[in-house]
């Protein structure tokens, strides 16, 4: 892949063979951000598990102490008092069957997270084939299927993110914006790493955290010494 001049200049600052201590990596990933916009800092965790096996799945959610820097639009499937609770908590869209129809007929996806009360999952299931591939299907493990709608919506608005393995056994998550500065990025980084470590399946064998890479939206990857992430 042919890279642009700015990327090549930024990449010169990174030694691809070096495993940087977390603090160094966070400093470097900010230094190599050449975008004119406030780039997102991403964390990519390669795990020593096999996502093809149910007992080796790694999935959950965690509230980043400083949020992600992005305002998420929340859609809630609920009725009655729970619908009113969702609206009061700040959900952008609240409804039931009419929202399913809107998604089916209009290919409408002007939302980032879907939350539902347990009694509404039968309704949401009608569009499971559409929501699933986009990573939008509500899930109890992620806290997006709950009777405590107020808490679910408020946590998402406060910076709650979901993490899950892809087919290559890698977790990809945002940990904030370049403008956050090193201290806040470090807090968020340690929070997600700690959550993933605590979610280690009992069936996992050998080295669990194989590699950790930090990068910005368009910048070069910076390898982190996985052994030092909790120092």
């Amino acid at each position: 892949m042919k890279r642009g001049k700015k990327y090549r200049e930024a990449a010169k600052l990174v030694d691809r063979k070096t495993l940087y201590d977390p603090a160094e990596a966070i400093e470097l990933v900010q230094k190599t951000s050449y975008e004119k916009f406030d780039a997102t800092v991403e964390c990519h965790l390669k795990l020593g598990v096999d996502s093809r096996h149910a007992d080796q799945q790694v999935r959950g959610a965690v509230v980043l102490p400083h949020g992600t820097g992005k305002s998420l639009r929340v859609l809630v499937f609920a009725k009655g008092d729970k619908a009113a609770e969702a609206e009061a908590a700040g959900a952008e869209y609240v409804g039931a069957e009419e929202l399913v129809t809107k998604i089916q007929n209009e290919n409408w996806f002007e939302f980032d997270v879907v939350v539902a009360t347990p009694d509404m999952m039968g309704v949401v299931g009608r569009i499971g084939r559409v929501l699933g591939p986009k990573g939008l299907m509500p899930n109890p493990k992620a806290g997006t299927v709950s009777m405590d709608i107020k808490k679910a919506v408020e946590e998402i608005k406060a910076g709650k993110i979901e993490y899950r393995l892809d087919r290559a056994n890698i977790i990809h998550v945002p940990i904030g914006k370049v403008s956050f500065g090193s201290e806040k990025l470090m807090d968020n980084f340690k929070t997600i790493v700690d959550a993933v470590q605590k979610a280690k399946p009992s069936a996992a064998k050998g080295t669990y955290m194989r590699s950790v890479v930090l990068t910005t939206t368009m910048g070069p990857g910076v390898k982190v010494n996985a052994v030092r992430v909790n120092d």
Side-chain angles (χ1 to χ4, degrees), residues 70 73-75 77 92-93 99-114 124 126-137:
K70 180 181 178 182
R73 300 164 297 177
V74 182
L75 181 155
F77 285 98
E92 279 75 12
Y93 309 104
L99 290 179
V100 170
T101 301
K102 186 176 179 68
I103 292 169
Q104 288 176 323
N105 297 343
E106 301 176 26
N107 196 32
W108 175 70
F109 287 98
E110 294 181 14
F111 47 89
D112 304 296
V113 184
V114 179
V124 180
R126 299 175 197 169
I127 49 174
R129 290 183 180 179
V130 179
L131 296 180
K134 293 180 179 292
L136 293 170
M137 191 67 182

PDB file of all heavy atoms in Angstrom, residues 70 73-75 77 92-93 99-114 124 126-137:
ATOM      1  N   LYS A  70     -16.677  11.391  21.743  1.00  0.00           N
ATOM      2  CA  LYS A  70     -17.707  11.348  20.719  1.00  0.00           C
ATOM      3  C   LYS A  70     -19.083  11.267  21.371  1.00  0.00           C
ATOM      4  O   LYS A  70     -19.283  10.520  22.329  1.00  0.00           O
ATOM      5  CB  LYS A  70     -17.510  10.128  19.815  1.00  0.00           C
ATOM      6  CG  LYS A  70     -18.551  10.009  18.706  1.00  0.00           C
ATOM      7  CD  LYS A  70     -18.317   8.763  17.860  1.00  0.00           C
ATOM      8  CE  LYS A  70     -19.384   8.628  16.778  1.00  0.00           C
ATOM      9  NZ  LYS A  70     -19.216   7.396  15.961  1.00  0.00           N
ATOM     10  N   ARG A  73     -25.441   8.664  19.623  1.00  0.00           N
ATOM     11  CA  ARG A  73     -26.903   8.746  19.497  1.00  0.00           C
ATOM     12  C   ARG A  73     -27.500   7.405  19.927  1.00  0.00           C
ATOM     13  O   ARG A  73     -27.144   6.371  19.386  1.00  0.00           O
ATOM     14  CB  ARG A  73     -27.290   9.066  18.055  1.00  0.00           C
ATOM     15  CG  ARG A  73     -26.726  10.384  17.527  1.00  0.00           C
ATOM     16  CD  ARG A  73     -26.803  10.453  16.011  1.00  0.00           C
ATOM     17  NE  ARG A  73     -25.983   9.391  15.406  1.00  0.00           N
ATOM     18  CZ  ARG A  73     -25.924   9.181  14.083  1.00  0.00           C
ATOM     19  NH1 ARG A  73     -26.623   9.932  13.254  1.00  0.00           N
ATOM     20  NH2 ARG A  73     -25.169   8.195  13.609  1.00  0.00           N
ATOM     21  N   VAL A  74     -28.407   7.463  20.898  1.00  0.00           N
ATOM     22  CA  VAL A  74     -28.957   6.236  21.483  1.00  0.00           C
ATOM     23  C   VAL A  74     -30.403   6.022  21.061  1.00  0.00           C
ATOM     24  O   VAL A  74     -31.232   6.927  21.151  1.00  0.00           O
ATOM     25  CB  VAL A  74     -28.876   6.286  23.026  1.00  0.00           C
ATOM     26  CG1 VAL A  74     -29.416   4.988  23.624  1.00  0.00           C
ATOM     27  CG2 VAL A  74     -27.444   6.537  23.486  1.00  0.00           C
ATOM     28  N   LEU A  75     -30.681   4.811  20.601  1.00  0.00           N
ATOM     29  CA  LEU A  75     -32.045   4.406  20.273  1.00  0.00           C
ATOM     30  C   LEU A  75     -32.495   3.394  21.321  1.00  0.00           C
ATOM     31  O   LEU A  75     -31.767   2.439  21.607  1.00  0.00           O
ATOM     32  CB  LEU A  75     -32.091   3.781  18.878  1.00  0.00           C
ATOM     33  CG  LEU A  75     -33.462   3.315  18.348  1.00  0.00           C
ATOM     34  CD1 LEU A  75     -33.458   3.323  16.820  1.00  0.00           C
ATOM     35  CD2 LEU A  75     -33.814   1.906  18.833  1.00  0.00           C
ATOM     36  N   PHE A  77     -35.584   0.778  22.629  1.00  0.00           N
ATOM     37  CA  PHE A  77     -36.846   0.072  22.427  1.00  0.00           C
ATOM     38  C   PHE A  77     -37.478  -0.153  23.791  1.00  0.00           C
ATOM     39  O   PHE A  77     -36.962  -0.927  24.607  1.00  0.00           O
ATOM     40  CB  PHE A  77     -36.610  -1.275  21.734  1.00  0.00           C
ATOM     41  CG  PHE A  77     -36.316  -1.157  20.269  1.00  0.00           C
ATOM     42  CD1 PHE A  77     -35.005  -1.178  19.813  1.00  0.00           C
ATOM     43  CD2 PHE A  77     -37.344  -1.013  19.346  1.00  0.00           C
ATOM     44  CE1 PHE A  77     -34.727  -1.071  18.467  1.00  0.00           C
ATOM     45  CE2 PHE A  77     -37.079  -0.900  17.981  1.00  0.00           C
ATOM     46  CZ  PHE A  77     -35.760  -0.923  17.538  1.00  0.00           C
ATOM     47  N   GLU A  92     -31.933   9.707  22.191  1.00  0.00           N
ATOM     48  CA  GLU A  92     -32.383  10.478  21.023  1.00  0.00           C
ATOM     49  C   GLU A  92     -33.659   9.916  20.398  1.00  0.00           C
ATOM     50  O   GLU A  92     -34.509  10.672  19.913  1.00  0.00           O
ATOM     51  CB  GLU A  92     -31.284  10.510  19.949  1.00  0.00           C
ATOM     52  CG  GLU A  92     -30.185  11.523  20.175  1.00  0.00           C
ATOM     53  CD  GLU A  92     -29.200  11.125  21.262  1.00  0.00           C
ATOM     54  OE1 GLU A  92     -29.226   9.942  21.709  1.00  0.00           O
ATOM     55  OE2 GLU A  92     -28.403  11.979  21.674  1.00  0.00           O
ATOM     56  N   TYR A  93     -33.780   8.584  20.394  1.00  0.00           N
ATOM     57  CA  TYR A  93     -34.945   7.942  19.772  1.00  0.00           C
ATOM     58  C   TYR A  93     -35.502   6.889  20.716  1.00  0.00           C
ATOM     59  O   TYR A  93     -34.762   6.062  21.255  1.00  0.00           O
ATOM     60  CB  TYR A  93     -34.543   7.280  18.453  1.00  0.00           C
ATOM     61  CG  TYR A  93     -33.788   8.201  17.521  1.00  0.00           C
ATOM     62  CD1 TYR A  93     -32.408   8.083  17.362  1.00  0.00           C
ATOM     63  CD2 TYR A  93     -34.446   9.194  16.809  1.00  0.00           C
ATOM     64  CE1 TYR A  93     -31.711   8.929  16.511  1.00  0.00           C
ATOM     65  CE2 TYR A  93     -33.761  10.054  15.951  1.00  0.00           C
ATOM     66  CZ  TYR A  93     -32.390   9.911  15.817  1.00  0.00           C
ATOM     67  OH  TYR A  93     -31.690  10.752  14.986  1.00  0.00           O
ATOM     68  N   LEU A  99     -40.377   1.777  15.218  1.00  0.00           N
ATOM     69  CA  LEU A  99     -38.963   1.952  14.900  1.00  0.00           C
ATOM     70  C   LEU A  99     -38.437   0.771  14.079  1.00  0.00           C
ATOM     71  O   LEU A  99     -37.592   0.949  13.201  1.00  0.00           O
ATOM     72  CB  LEU A  99     -38.140   2.099  16.186  1.00  0.00           C
ATOM     73  CG  LEU A  99     -38.341   3.391  16.977  1.00  0.00           C
ATOM     74  CD1 LEU A  99     -37.480   3.381  18.240  1.00  0.00           C
ATOM     75  CD2 LEU A  99     -37.993   4.607  16.126  1.00  0.00           C
ATOM     76  N   VAL A 100     -38.959  -0.423  14.370  1.00  0.00           N
ATOM     77  CA  VAL A 100     -38.587  -1.604  13.584  1.00  0.00           C
ATOM     78  C   VAL A 100     -39.020  -1.400  12.138  1.00  0.00           C
ATOM     79  O   VAL A 100     -38.265  -1.653  11.197  1.00  0.00           O
ATOM     80  CB  VAL A 100     -39.248  -2.874  14.162  1.00  0.00           C
ATOM     81  CG1 VAL A 100     -39.061  -4.057  13.204  1.00  0.00           C
ATOM     82  CG2 VAL A 100     -38.658  -3.213  15.522  1.00  0.00           C
ATOM     83  N   THR A 101     -40.230  -0.916  11.965  1.00  0.00           N
ATOM     84  CA  THR A 101     -40.759  -0.663  10.614  1.00  0.00           C
ATOM     85  C   THR A 101     -39.920   0.384   9.887  1.00  0.00           C
ATOM     86  O   THR A 101     -39.617   0.240   8.695  1.00  0.00           O
ATOM     87  CB  THR A 101     -42.214  -0.175  10.696  1.00  0.00           C
ATOM     88  OG1 THR A 101     -43.017  -1.171  11.356  1.00  0.00           O
ATOM     89  CG2 THR A 101     -42.784   0.074   9.299  1.00  0.00           C
ATOM     90  N   LYS A 102     -39.531   1.435  10.602  1.00  0.00           N
ATOM     91  CA  LYS A 102     -38.725   2.502  10.003  1.00  0.00           C
ATOM     92  C   LYS A 102     -37.361   1.966   9.529  1.00  0.00           C
ATOM     93  O   LYS A 102     -36.897   2.298   8.438  1.00  0.00           O
ATOM     94  CB  LYS A 102     -38.511   3.621  11.028  1.00  0.00           C
ATOM     95  CG  LYS A 102     -37.794   4.861  10.483  1.00  0.00           C
ATOM     96  CD  LYS A 102     -37.720   5.933  11.555  1.00  0.00           C
ATOM     97  CE  LYS A 102     -36.992   7.177  11.055  1.00  0.00           C
ATOM     98  NZ  LYS A 102     -37.749   7.884  10.010  1.00  0.00           N
ATOM     99  N   ILE A 103     -36.753   1.116  10.341  1.00  0.00           N
ATOM    100  CA  ILE A 103     -35.456   0.528   9.981  1.00  0.00           C
ATOM    101  C   ILE A 103     -35.603  -0.420   8.796  1.00  0.00           C
ATOM    102  O   ILE A 103     -34.792  -0.416   7.861  1.00  0.00           O
ATOM    103  CB  ILE A 103     -34.853  -0.210  11.190  1.00  0.00           C
ATOM    104  CG1 ILE A 103     -34.453   0.807  12.272  1.00  0.00           C
ATOM    105  CG2 ILE A 103     -33.638  -1.040  10.779  1.00  0.00           C
ATOM    106  CD1 ILE A 103     -34.083   0.184  13.607  1.00  0.00           C
ATOM    107  N   GLN A 104     -36.678  -1.215   8.807  1.00  0.00           N
ATOM    108  CA  GLN A 104     -36.897  -2.181   7.729  1.00  0.00           C
ATOM    109  C   GLN A 104     -37.225  -1.499   6.402  1.00  0.00           C
ATOM    110  O   GLN A 104     -36.676  -1.860   5.356  1.00  0.00           O
ATOM    111  CB  GLN A 104     -38.051  -3.127   8.100  1.00  0.00           C
ATOM    112  CG  GLN A 104     -37.718  -4.139   9.183  1.00  0.00           C
ATOM    113  CD  GLN A 104     -38.921  -4.972   9.570  1.00  0.00           C
ATOM    114  OE1 GLN A 104     -40.055  -4.476   9.615  1.00  0.00           O
ATOM    115  NE2 GLN A 104     -38.683  -6.248   9.865  1.00  0.00           N
ATOM    116  N   ASN A 105     -38.118  -0.516   6.444  1.00  0.00           N
ATOM    117  CA  ASN A 105     -38.615   0.098   5.207  1.00  0.00           C
ATOM    118  C   ASN A 105     -37.760   1.240   4.671  1.00  0.00           C
ATOM    119  O   ASN A 105     -37.726   1.487   3.468  1.00  0.00           O
ATOM    120  CB  ASN A 105     -40.048   0.602   5.409  1.00  0.00           C
ATOM    121  CG  ASN A 105     -41.019  -0.525   5.728  1.00  0.00           C
ATOM    122  OD1 ASN A 105     -40.713  -1.698   5.493  1.00  0.00           O
ATOM    123  ND2 ASN A 105     -42.182  -0.174   6.263  1.00  0.00           N
ATOM    124  N   GLU A 106     -37.073   1.939   5.573  1.00  0.00           N
ATOM    125  CA  GLU A 106     -36.324   3.122   5.148  1.00  0.00           C
ATOM    126  C   GLU A 106     -34.812   2.946   5.242  1.00  0.00           C
ATOM    127  O   GLU A 106     -34.058   3.875   4.931  1.00  0.00           O
ATOM    128  CB  GLU A 106     -36.743   4.333   5.995  1.00  0.00           C
ATOM    129  CG  GLU A 106     -38.229   4.660   5.914  1.00  0.00           C
ATOM    130  CD  GLU A 106     -38.617   5.798   6.845  1.00  0.00           C
ATOM    131  OE1 GLU A 106     -37.750   6.632   7.169  1.00  0.00           O
ATOM    132  OE2 GLU A 106     -39.797   5.835   7.262  1.00  0.00           O
ATOM    133  N   ASN A 107     -34.383   1.755   5.680  1.00  0.00           N
ATOM    134  CA  ASN A 107     -32.943   1.515   5.873  1.00  0.00           C
ATOM    135  C   ASN A 107     -32.356   2.630   6.744  1.00  0.00           C
ATOM    136  O   ASN A 107     -31.291   3.179   6.469  1.00  0.00           O
ATOM    137  CB  ASN A 107     -32.217   1.457   4.529  1.00  0.00           C
ATOM    138  CG  ASN A 107     -30.834   0.827   4.655  1.00  0.00           C
ATOM    139  OD1 ASN A 107     -30.615  -0.056   5.488  1.00  0.00           O
ATOM    140  ND2 ASN A 107     -29.892   1.293   3.861  1.00  0.00           N
ATOM    141  N   TRP A 108     -33.066   2.937   7.812  1.00  0.00           N
ATOM    142  CA  TRP A 108     -32.724   4.064   8.701  1.00  0.00           C
ATOM    143  C   TRP A 108     -31.751   3.619   9.785  1.00  0.00           C
ATOM    144  O   TRP A 108     -32.018   2.696  10.537  1.00  0.00           O
ATOM    145  CB  TRP A 108     -34.011   4.598   9.345  1.00  0.00           C
ATOM    146  CG  TRP A 108     -33.800   5.679  10.359  1.00  0.00           C
ATOM    147  CD1 TRP A 108     -33.399   6.958  10.130  1.00  0.00           C
ATOM    148  CD2 TRP A 108     -34.001   5.568  11.776  1.00  0.00           C
ATOM    149  NE1 TRP A 108     -33.335   7.660  11.312  1.00  0.00           N
ATOM    150  CE2 TRP A 108     -33.693   6.832  12.339  1.00  0.00           C
ATOM    151  CE3 TRP A 108     -34.409   4.529  12.616  1.00  0.00           C
ATOM    152  CZ2 TRP A 108     -33.785   7.081  13.712  1.00  0.00           C
ATOM    153  CZ3 TRP A 108     -34.500   4.777  13.974  1.00  0.00           C
ATOM    154  CH2 TRP A 108     -34.189   6.044  14.515  1.00  0.00           C
ATOM    155  N   PHE A 109     -30.608   4.296   9.851  1.00  0.00           N
ATOM    156  CA  PHE A 109     -29.602   3.950  10.855  1.00  0.00           C
ATOM    157  C   PHE A 109     -28.928   5.202  11.409  1.00  0.00           C
ATOM    158  O   PHE A 109     -27.703   5.253  11.528  1.00  0.00           O
ATOM    159  CB  PHE A 109     -28.543   3.013  10.270  1.00  0.00           C
ATOM    160  CG  PHE A 109     -29.032   1.618  10.048  1.00  0.00           C
ATOM    161  CD1 PHE A 109     -29.453   1.228   8.793  1.00  0.00           C
ATOM    162  CD2 PHE A 109     -29.119   0.719  11.096  1.00  0.00           C
ATOM    163  CE1 PHE A 109     -29.936  -0.055   8.572  1.00  0.00           C
ATOM    164  CE2 PHE A 109     -29.602  -0.573  10.896  1.00  0.00           C
ATOM    165  CZ  PHE A 109     -30.008  -0.963   9.632  1.00  0.00           C
ATOM    166  N   GLU A 110     -29.720   6.171  11.789  1.00  0.00           N
ATOM    167  CA  GLU A 110     -29.164   7.416  12.327  1.00  0.00           C
ATOM    168  C   GLU A 110     -28.992   7.325  13.850  1.00  0.00           C
ATOM    169  O   GLU A 110     -29.429   8.183  14.606  1.00  0.00           O
ATOM    170  CB  GLU A 110     -30.059   8.599  11.952  1.00  0.00           C
ATOM    171  CG  GLU A 110     -30.087   8.859  10.445  1.00  0.00           C
ATOM    172  CD  GLU A 110     -30.960  10.037  10.077  1.00  0.00           C
ATOM    173  OE1 GLU A 110     -31.324  10.812  10.989  1.00  0.00           O
ATOM    174  OE2 GLU A 110     -31.284  10.169   8.887  1.00  0.00           O
ATOM    175  N   PHE A 111     -28.345   6.240  14.282  1.00  0.00           N
ATOM    176  CA  PHE A 111     -28.096   6.022  15.707  1.00  0.00           C
ATOM    177  C   PHE A 111     -26.824   5.195  15.835  1.00  0.00           C
ATOM    178  O   PHE A 111     -26.390   4.527  14.891  1.00  0.00           O
ATOM    179  CB  PHE A 111     -29.278   5.311  16.368  1.00  0.00           C
ATOM    180  CG  PHE A 111     -29.779   4.112  15.607  1.00  0.00           C
ATOM    181  CD1 PHE A 111     -29.249   2.851  15.838  1.00  0.00           C
ATOM    182  CD2 PHE A 111     -30.782   4.247  14.647  1.00  0.00           C
ATOM    183  CE1 PHE A 111     -29.688   1.743  15.131  1.00  0.00           C
ATOM    184  CE2 PHE A 111     -31.236   3.142  13.930  1.00  0.00           C
ATOM    185  CZ  PHE A 111     -30.691   1.889  14.177  1.00  0.00           C
ATOM    186  N   ASP A 112     -26.204   5.247  17.024  1.00  0.00           N
ATOM    187  CA  ASP A 112     -24.924   4.565  17.246  1.00  0.00           C
ATOM    188  C   ASP A 112     -25.028   3.374  18.186  1.00  0.00           C
ATOM    189  O   ASP A 112     -24.211   2.457  18.123  1.00  0.00           O
ATOM    190  CB  ASP A 112     -23.905   5.557  17.821  1.00  0.00           C
ATOM    191  CG  ASP A 112     -23.731   6.781  16.938  1.00  0.00           C
ATOM    192  OD1 ASP A 112     -23.269   6.614  15.801  1.00  0.00           O
ATOM    193  OD2 ASP A 112     -24.075   7.899  17.389  1.00  0.00           O
ATOM    194  N   VAL A 113     -26.020   3.406  19.087  1.00  0.00           N
ATOM    195  CA  VAL A 113     -26.179   2.341  20.083  1.00  0.00           C
ATOM    196  C   VAL A 113     -27.664   2.027  20.230  1.00  0.00           C
ATOM    197  O   VAL A 113     -28.501   2.938  20.195  1.00  0.00           O
ATOM    198  CB  VAL A 113     -25.615   2.758  21.466  1.00  0.00           C
ATOM    199  CG1 VAL A 113     -25.708   1.592  22.445  1.00  0.00           C
ATOM    200  CG2 VAL A 113     -24.175   3.230  21.353  1.00  0.00           C
ATOM    201  N   VAL A 114     -27.985   0.747  20.387  1.00  0.00           N
ATOM    202  CA  VAL A 114     -29.373   0.332  20.598  1.00  0.00           C
ATOM    203  C   VAL A 114     -29.498  -0.299  21.981  1.00  0.00           C
ATOM    204  O   VAL A 114     -28.724  -1.176  22.353  1.00  0.00           O
ATOM    205  CB  VAL A 114     -29.829  -0.676  19.534  1.00  0.00           C
ATOM    206  CG1 VAL A 114     -31.277  -1.103  19.784  1.00  0.00           C
ATOM    207  CG2 VAL A 114     -29.692  -0.084  18.131  1.00  0.00           C
ATOM    208  N   VAL A 124     -37.327  -6.548  18.790  1.00  0.00           N
ATOM    209  CA  VAL A 124     -36.013  -6.226  18.227  1.00  0.00           C
ATOM    210  C   VAL A 124     -35.469  -7.387  17.397  1.00  0.00           C
ATOM    211  O   VAL A 124     -34.790  -7.177  16.391  1.00  0.00           O
ATOM    212  CB  VAL A 124     -35.005  -5.887  19.358  1.00  0.00           C
ATOM    213  CG1 VAL A 124     -33.634  -5.554  18.783  1.00  0.00           C
ATOM    214  CG2 VAL A 124     -35.515  -4.705  20.184  1.00  0.00           C
ATOM    215  N   ARG A 126     -36.811  -9.110  15.268  1.00  0.00           N
ATOM    216  CA  ARG A 126     -37.262  -9.076  13.870  1.00  0.00           C
ATOM    217  C   ARG A 126     -36.224  -8.434  12.955  1.00  0.00           C
ATOM    218  O   ARG A 126     -36.210  -8.699  11.748  1.00  0.00           O
ATOM    219  CB  ARG A 126     -38.575  -8.290  13.765  1.00  0.00           C
ATOM    220  CG  ARG A 126     -39.732  -8.870  14.566  1.00  0.00           C
ATOM    221  CD  ARG A 126     -40.933  -7.957  14.477  1.00  0.00           C
ATOM    222  NE  ARG A 126     -41.918  -8.248  15.509  1.00  0.00           N
ATOM    223  CZ  ARG A 126     -42.965  -7.470  15.782  1.00  0.00           C
ATOM    224  NH1 ARG A 126     -43.163  -6.361  15.075  1.00  0.00           N
ATOM    225  NH2 ARG A 126     -43.803  -7.794  16.732  1.00  0.00           N
ATOM    226  N   ILE A 127     -35.395  -7.586  13.527  1.00  0.00           N
ATOM    227  CA  ILE A 127     -34.365  -6.924  12.716  1.00  0.00           C
ATOM    228  C   ILE A 127     -32.960  -7.348  13.167  1.00  0.00           C
ATOM    229  O   ILE A 127     -31.982  -6.659  12.910  1.00  0.00           O
ATOM    230  CB  ILE A 127     -34.504  -5.381  12.766  1.00  0.00           C
ATOM    231  CG1 ILE A 127     -34.640  -4.893  14.221  1.00  0.00           C
ATOM    232  CG2 ILE A 127     -35.674  -4.919  11.918  1.00  0.00           C
ATOM    233  CD1 ILE A 127     -34.632  -3.383  14.363  1.00  0.00           C
ATOM    234  N   GLY A 128     -32.895  -8.493  13.824  1.00  0.00           N
ATOM    235  CA  GLY A 128     -31.609  -8.997  14.301  1.00  0.00           C
ATOM    236  C   GLY A 128     -30.604  -9.202  13.179  1.00  0.00           C
ATOM    237  O   GLY A 128     -29.416  -8.929  13.336  1.00  0.00           O
ATOM    238  N   ARG A 129     -31.079  -9.659  12.015  1.00  0.00           N
ATOM    239  CA  ARG A 129     -30.176  -9.907  10.888  1.00  0.00           C
ATOM    240  C   ARG A 129     -29.603  -8.607  10.329  1.00  0.00           C
ATOM    241  O   ARG A 129     -28.576  -8.620   9.650  1.00  0.00           O
ATOM    242  CB  ARG A 129     -30.915 -10.657   9.784  1.00  0.00           C
ATOM    243  CG  ARG A 129     -31.255 -12.091  10.138  1.00  0.00           C
ATOM    244  CD  ARG A 129     -31.921 -12.799   8.979  1.00  0.00           C
ATOM    245  NE  ARG A 129     -32.251 -14.185   9.302  1.00  0.00           N
ATOM    246  CZ  ARG A 129     -32.852 -15.020   8.460  1.00  0.00           C
ATOM    247  NH1 ARG A 129     -33.168 -14.610   7.238  1.00  0.00           N
ATOM    248  NH2 ARG A 129     -33.117 -16.261   8.826  1.00  0.00           N
ATOM    249  N   VAL A 130     -30.281  -7.510  10.607  1.00  0.00           N
ATOM    250  CA  VAL A 130     -29.813  -6.205  10.134  1.00  0.00           C
ATOM    251  C   VAL A 130     -28.915  -5.553  11.178  1.00  0.00           C
ATOM    252  O   VAL A 130     -27.853  -5.014  10.865  1.00  0.00           O
ATOM    253  CB  VAL A 130     -31.009  -5.281   9.827  1.00  0.00           C
ATOM    254  CG1 VAL A 130     -30.519  -3.910   9.362  1.00  0.00           C
ATOM    255  CG2 VAL A 130     -31.896  -5.898   8.757  1.00  0.00           C
ATOM    256  N   LEU A 131     -29.335  -5.629  12.443  1.00  0.00           N
ATOM    257  CA  LEU A 131     -28.561  -5.000  13.522  1.00  0.00           C
ATOM    258  C   LEU A 131     -27.284  -5.768  13.841  1.00  0.00           C
ATOM    259  O   LEU A 131     -26.244  -5.160  14.124  1.00  0.00           O
ATOM    260  CB  LEU A 131     -29.420  -4.894  14.790  1.00  0.00           C
ATOM    261  CG  LEU A 131     -30.659  -4.014  14.736  1.00  0.00           C
ATOM    262  CD1 LEU A 131     -31.381  -4.047  16.094  1.00  0.00           C
ATOM    263  CD2 LEU A 131     -30.311  -2.584  14.368  1.00  0.00           C
ATOM    264  N   GLY A 132     -27.361  -7.111  13.806  1.00  0.00           N
ATOM    265  CA  GLY A 132     -26.222  -7.949  14.185  1.00  0.00           C
ATOM    266  C   GLY A 132     -24.929  -7.640  13.447  1.00  0.00           C
ATOM    267  O   GLY A 132     -23.904  -7.363  14.071  1.00  0.00           O
ATOM    268  N   PRO A 133     -24.940  -7.674  12.107  1.00  0.00           N
ATOM    269  CA  PRO A 133     -23.708  -7.409  11.349  1.00  0.00           C
ATOM    270  C   PRO A 133     -23.123  -6.017  11.590  1.00  0.00           C
ATOM    271  O   PRO A 133     -21.929  -5.798  11.394  1.00  0.00           O
ATOM    272  CB  PRO A 133     -24.162  -7.560   9.888  1.00  0.00           C
ATOM    273  CG  PRO A 133     -25.332  -8.485   9.960  1.00  0.00           C
ATOM    274  CD  PRO A 133     -26.038  -8.095  11.218  1.00  0.00           C
ATOM    275  N   LYS A 134     -23.954  -5.080  12.017  1.00  0.00           N
ATOM    276  CA  LYS A 134     -23.485  -3.718  12.285  1.00  0.00           C
ATOM    277  C   LYS A 134     -23.025  -3.545  13.738  1.00  0.00           C
ATOM    278  O   LYS A 134     -22.620  -2.453  14.143  1.00  0.00           O
ATOM    279  CB  LYS A 134     -24.605  -2.707  11.986  1.00  0.00           C
ATOM    280  CG  LYS A 134     -24.977  -2.608  10.513  1.00  0.00           C
ATOM    281  CD  LYS A 134     -26.090  -1.600  10.308  1.00  0.00           C
ATOM    282  CE  LYS A 134     -26.469  -1.469   8.850  1.00  0.00           C
ATOM    283  NZ  LYS A 134     -25.393  -0.849   8.035  1.00  0.00           N
ATOM    284  N   GLY A 135     -23.110  -4.628  14.518  1.00  0.00           N
ATOM    285  CA  GLY A 135     -22.713  -4.553  15.921  1.00  0.00           C
ATOM    286  C   GLY A 135     -23.681  -3.765  16.773  1.00  0.00           C
ATOM    287  O   GLY A 135     -23.310  -3.225  17.824  1.00  0.00           O
ATOM    288  N   LEU A 136     -24.945  -3.701  16.354  1.00  0.00           N
ATOM    289  CA  LEU A 136     -25.938  -2.876  17.048  1.00  0.00           C
ATOM    290  C   LEU A 136     -26.968  -3.681  17.838  1.00  0.00           C
ATOM    291  O   LEU A 136     -27.810  -3.092  18.519  1.00  0.00           O
ATOM    292  CB  LEU A 136     -26.682  -1.995  16.024  1.00  0.00           C
ATOM    293  CG  LEU A 136     -25.858  -0.906  15.334  1.00  0.00           C
ATOM    294  CD1 LEU A 136     -26.665  -0.288  14.187  1.00  0.00           C
ATOM    295  CD2 LEU A 136     -25.457   0.165  16.340  1.00  0.00           C
ATOM    296  N   MET A 137     -26.898  -5.003  17.765  1.00  0.00           N
ATOM    297  CA  MET A 137     -27.897  -5.813  18.465  1.00  0.00           C
ATOM    298  C   MET A 137     -27.710  -5.698  19.977  1.00  0.00           C
ATOM    299  O   MET A 137     -26.613  -5.904  20.492  1.00  0.00           O
ATOM    300  CB  MET A 137     -27.754  -7.277  18.036  1.00  0.00           C
ATOM    301  CG  MET A 137     -28.908  -8.149  18.494  1.00  0.00           C
ATOM    302  SD  MET A 137     -30.462  -7.716  17.684  1.00  0.00           S
ATOM    303  CE  MET A 137     -31.580  -8.882  18.488  1.00  0.00           C
TER     304      MET A 137
END
